[in-house]
Amino acid sequence: MIILISGASHAGKTALAQRLLEKYKYPYLSIDHLKMGLIRSGQTSLTPEDDDELTEYLWPIVREMIKTAIENKQNLIVEGCYIPFGFEKDFTPEYLENIKHFCIVFSRSYIKNHFDDIKKYASVIEDRLDDSWCTLESTLADNAKLLLLAQKHGANYILIDDKYEINIEI
């Protein structure tokens, strides 16, 4: 089984992947690690700020890794913000029956009521060296855009509205 976890920055994708690894013993791939490896090694001139371009660059690599895992009957969790909506078009039905996608989205009210917590838990799994770019306004805008896209594409999204609680059963 392949579990895809997407969402805006600070949504808890990596923390959820870690919890699923501990519960199900499925390894996970952080697309951010792949991104930084390619950037730091000089394999691309893209920077961490080039979000749309990074999705176009990284997704074909990740997509083929997912296919390889399915073909080898391996379980894998893939998490990151570089999983495009409409990714399903890249897979035949035989592959898709082995993929579950979860998109984490914060509601406007959750962000307004819990922004301090969102920032507080930003480094729960990975250290964020500079988090100053994450503001209340940017978080509201990113999640509003993400929710619209999730709804437009019929994506399976988890709306965090009252309290942060995610329970995924595989």
Side-chain angles (χ1 to χ4, degrees):
M1 179 61 57
I2 306 298
I3 308 300
L4 302 179
I5 303 170
S6 62
S9 182
H10 292 70
K13 299 177 296 293
T14 307
L16 177 58
Q18 181 69 37
R19 282 197 359 249
L20 292 174
L21 173 142
E22 292 167 3
K23 182 175 182 176
Y24 294 106
K25 310 300 185 223
Y26 289 12
Y28 75 85
L29 167 68
S30 168
I31 302 176
D32 277 343
H33 291 175
L34 176 62
K35 167 188 77 178
M36 292 311 298
L38 291 165
I39 290 172
R40 289 180 172 173
S41 69
Q43 298 299 309
T44 180
S45 60
L46 295 171
T47 71
E49 288 78 36
D50 297 323
D51 282 339
D52 291 338
E53 295 89 349
L54 281 165
T55 299
E56 290 177 29
Y57 180 71
L58 294 168
W59 179 246
I61 299 166
V62 173
R63 176 191 67 217
E64 297 309 314
M65 293 171 73
I66 291 168
K67 288 179 181 178
T68 301
I70 291 170
E71 290 160 0
N72 287 291
K73 298 177 179 39
Q74 296 169 318
N75 300 312
L76 180 63
I77 301 163
V78 178
E79 65 87 9
C81 59
Y82 304 106
I83 299 169
F85 285 106
F87 72 86
E88 296 89 350
K89 70 179 177 7
D90 294 333
F91 298 97
T92 63
E94 295 78 23
Y95 286 109
L96 286 172
E97 66 188 25
N98 292 287
I99 300 173
K100 290 187 179 184
H101 175 229
F102 303 93
C103 180
I104 305 170
V105 183
F106 293 139
S107 73
R108 183 173 184 79
S109 64
Y110 182 84
I111 296 166
K112 286 188 168 198
N113 293 327
H114 299 279
F115 185 69
D116 289 342
D117 289 333
I118 291 169
K119 293 285 282 190
K120 180 173 132 184
Y121 292 109
S123 293
V124 72
I125 299 293
E126 299 174 324
D127 287 334
R128 293 181 185 265
L129 301 178
D130 178 13
D131 202 27
S132 60
W133 58 268
C134 179
T135 65
L136 175 64
E137 293 75 21
S138 68
T139 304
L140 286 165
D142 289 348
N143 280 271
K145 177 182 173 184
L146 193 66
L147 180 58
L148 286 174
L149 286 169
Q151 291 170 335
K152 175 183 174 185
H153 290 277
N156 182 25
Y157 65 91
I158 300 167
L159 184 64
I160 307 298
D161 190 39
D162 182 33
K163 61 181 179 175
Y164 195 102
E165 187 173 89
I166 299 176
N167 294 309
I168 293 177
E169 298 297 324
I170 301 173

